[in-house]
Amino acid sequence: MKKKYYLTMIAVLMSVGLSMAQAQNPECMTNLSIYAEHAKVKNYDAAYEPWKMVYESCPDINKANFSYGEKILKHKIKNSSGADKDGFIQDILAMYDNSLKYFPNKFSKADVAIDKALLLYDNDMASTDQLYGMLDKAFKEDRKNFKNPKALYLYFSSLVDLHGTGAKDLQEVFDIYDDVTEKVEAENKKLTAALQKLLEKEDSGTALTSKEKKRKRVYETNSESYGKIATSIDSKLGALADCDNLIPLYEKSYEAKKGDVNWVKRAVGRMFSKECTDDPMFRKLFEAQLALDPSADAYLYGGTLKQKAGDNKGAIADFNKAVELETDPYRKSNILYKIATTVRRSSKSQARNYAQKAINANPSNGKAYLLIANLYASSANACGSTPFEKRAIYWKAADMARKAGRVDPSLSGRANKSAASYAAKAPTKEMIFTSGMAGKSVSFSCWVGGSVKVPNL
């Protein structure tokens, strides 16, 4: 009864609020209805005048003034030029600011700043310094809502360009790189986790509802966008993160920064990822991290150093300690993946075991699937006694690569390219016909084990 009473009261209050708005300016309500109907069918020219009347007279009457207003004004910008176009651009910039003023619970600081920055960028109306300033402020003040992939790239790209002119130092480039890549990873983590639930439902044989299919497409599309942006960000960083740049920078900053655990951890992580582990600076930073924060990552790095020194037993002990210390499944999966990449040169089977553990910890770890695919492909010559058997391993590799793109669409570009490359190296239709193996299975007696079914012709 209480719930029904509250719902009734809410409906009454909404009705009263609507009646008051109509009483204040009934023309606003009429024109709101008119422009909304036009906007729904994308007749933005017809929607413009009634929208303008409502927006200027009753800006707070409905959120549609801003959601539809953006579409209407963008249409005007696209289909105008000269002073008219500049006027519409100024109108939409002001409208973005007002959206936050009148509907602060519906629009975020980050979204407004991003919309303004991208508009100015697309129309070449702001300097690199201005764009970076706008996006840097938004990212630092409202990181939670800073999710737009294009804006994340523009934020970092503009900083790198400023560094190229000498306006920004290299340390700032690395700091923002870490912040942006962490944000991309965090957002993609949410998407792949949601996607994984739908994939599990599909794999169980239960059909997805129409809404679930739509959500699945959205997750896949957005994840793929983050993957493309991540690749672009790494490309933009380019040679700036090479060992030749990293080592002098960390040597210069070490004394002042060695007590900053966040700086130390990022420095060690970057040197590890760029394979700068042979330099004494890596050990120095690693020991500083071990003293400040003897975490799972620290044991991962320690294991790497022991492995390089030939102490494989000690290395494995440290690797396992790293896994044991980490309790978060996502981070545990990443550590297991890093261990897999570290041991792959000494033992492919051991690398696969760690990669599979990474998948068990996080079924969305597409990088682990790609690693296993590569391990299989690189073992072709050792896994068969005939050319057909040796090439058959590529079917297994291609299947693993496809799984990588399925569980983590951000990797779909790499995964599809790898799968296509492996499939092209597998036995041809002519080879299948000549061998008489169509529909049969090929077993692998090497470390890969298992089998693969030969396609029917």
Side-chain angles (χ1 to χ4, degrees):
M1 285 296 291
K2 283 186 177 180
K3 183 177 180 182
K4 185 175 180 181
Y5 170 77
Y6 290 138
L7 290 174
T8 301
M9 288 302 297
I10 291 171
V12 169
L13 289 171
M14 289 178 66
S15 176
V16 169
L18 192 60
S19 298
M20 288 176 66
Q22 289 174 318
Q24 289 173 1
N25 197 332
E27 190 177 357
C28 281
M29 292 305 300
T30 301
N31 280 293
L32 172 62
S33 178
I34 292 172
Y35 86 66
E37 288 303 313
H38 286 310
K40 284 177 184 176
V41 295
K42 299 182 180 180
N43 188 356
Y44 299 125
D45 285 325
Y48 178 69
E49 288 299 336
W51 165 79
K52 186 177 180 183
M53 179 268 151
V54 180
Y55 172 68
E56 291 179 348
S57 303
C58 314
D60 60 346
I61 196 171
N62 196 295
K63 179 177 174 283
N65 277 341
F66 301 94
S67 54
Y68 277 139
E70 180 180 38
K71 294 178 180 179
I72 293 167
L73 288 175
K74 281 189 173 181
H75 171 80
K76 288 293 187 180
I77 292 169
K78 183 179 179 180
N79 293 281
S80 61
S81 59
D84 286 340
K85 182 175 183 178
D86 290 342
F88 288 128
I89 290 175
Q90 294 306 316
D91 287 343
I92 198 170
L93 289 172
M95 190 195 71
Y96 285 142
D97 287 331
N98 284 332
S99 68
L100 198 58
K101 175 182 176 181
Y102 292 109
F103 292 93
N105 295 326
K106 299 292 184 180
F107 299 93
S108 71
K109 289 182 180 180
D111 284 334
V112 168
I114 287 169
D115 286 338
K116 292 174 69 175
L118 292 181
L119 180 71
L120 293 171
Y121 172 75
D122 290 339
N123 289 279
D124 197 22
M125 294 177 69
S127 67
T128 303
D129 188 52
Q130 288 173 321
L131 291 171
Y132 177 69
M134 292 173 67
L135 295 173
D136 185 53
K137 185 174 185 292
F139 189 84
K140 288 174 178 173
E141 291 183 355
D142 190 17
R143 185 178 301 198
K144 176 184 176 182
N145 293 304
F146 201 115
K147 301 177 183 180
N148 185 295
K150 182 179 178 180
L152 284 164
Y153 175 74
L154 181 59
Y155 176 35
F156 180 68
S157 176
S158 58
L159 172 59
V160 174
D161 291 342
L162 289 172
H163 168 72
T165 67
K168 298 291 182 180
D169 62 35
L170 189 57
Q171 184 61 58
E172 185 172 357
V173 172
F174 288 151
D175 288 342
I176 299 303
Y177 172 82
D178 287 334
D179 288 339
V180 169
T181 52
E182 284 173 8
K183 181 62 178 176
V184 170
E185 184 178 340
E187 292 302 322
N188 191 57
K189 175 184 175 182
K190 296 175 189 174
L191 292 170
T192 53
L195 175 62
Q196 183 60 32
K197 293 179 181 179
L198 298 179
L199 294 178
E200 289 174 357
K201 184 175 180 180
E202 272 188 337
D203 293 342
S204 71
T206 304
L208 300 181
T209 65
S210 57
K211 287 184 178 180
E212 287 174 330
K213 288 179 180 177
K214 185 176 180 179
R215 289 207 307 271
K216 182 171 178 278
R217 286 193 296 270
V218 170
Y219 298 151
E220 290 171 339
T221 299
N222 291 345
S223 177
E224 188 173 352
S225 295
Y226 279 120
K228 290 177 180 177
I229 289 301
T231 300
S232 297
I233 289 170
D234 283 337
S235 297
K236 188 70 179 183
L237 181 65
L240 290 177
D242 286 350
C243 298
D244 289 343
N245 285 321
L246 291 175
I247 295 167
L249 176 67
Y250 295 147
E251 287 176 339
K252 177 183 177 182
S253 305
Y254 180 75
E255 286 302 321
K257 295 280 192 177
K258 64 182 180 182
D260 183 342
V261 65
N262 189 52
W263 181 86
V264 170
K265 289 174 72 173
R266 284 182 167 185
V268 179
R270 192 175 295 111
M271 289 191 74
F272 177 85
S273 65
K274 292 297 179 178
E275 298 185 356
C276 308
T277 52
D278 290 332
D279 191 89
M281 193 64 210
F282 178 79
R283 176 175 288 279
K284 196 172 183 179
L285 286 165
F286 155 69
E287 289 174 352
Q289 179 178 344
L290 197 61
L292 292 167
D293 180 24
S295 62
D297 283 334
Y299 280 95
L300 167 64
Y301 305 139
T304 302
L305 290 174
K306 287 179 180 178
Q307 187 184 51
K308 284 182 175 292
D311 182 8
N312 289 327
K313 184 177 180 180
I316 294 300
D318 275 3
F319 291 152
N320 290 334
K321 183 67 175 178
V323 176
E324 180 186 330
L325 281 174
E326 186 54 65
T327 57
D328 177 75
Y330 188 83
R331 286 182 53 79
K332 185 188 289 283
S333 179
N334 285 342
I335 288 173
L336 285 160
Y337 169 75
K338 288 178 181 178
I339 294 172
T341 62
T342 301
V343 303
R344 64 181 299 182
R345 292 174 184 172
S346 57
S347 173
K348 290 179 181 178
S349 62
Q350 197 172 58
R352 180 183 60 181
N353 289 341
Y354 278 113
Q356 187 57 58
K357 288 178 181 179
I359 293 169
N360 293 342
N362 172 26
S364 298
N365 193 332
K367 291 185 295 184
Y369 278 111
L370 278 178
L371 175 59
I372 294 174
N374 182 265
L375 292 170
Y376 287 165
S378 62
S379 300
N381 289 330
C383 289
S385 56
T386 67
F388 186 91
E389 290 177 350
K390 290 179 179 180
R391 293 178 66 167
I393 194 74
Y394 288 110
W395 279 318
K396 201 172 181 72
D399 182 56
M400 276 292 171
R402 282 189 284 268
K403 286 181 179 178
R406 182 170 182 256
V407 301
D408 186 356
S410 73
L411 298 174
S412 59
R414 284 172 54 194
N416 293 338
K417 186 176 180 180
S418 296
S421 175
Y422 298 146
K425 295 175 183 177
T428 62
K429 289 184 178 180
E430 183 180 355
M431 292 179 69
I432 295 173
F433 177 77
T434 303
S435 67
M437 289 293 290
K440 298 179 182 179
S441 293
V442 175
S443 297
F444 304 109
S445 57
C446 62
W447 72 269
V448 171
S451 62
V452 66
K453 186 175 181 181
V454 179
N456 284 306
L457 294 173

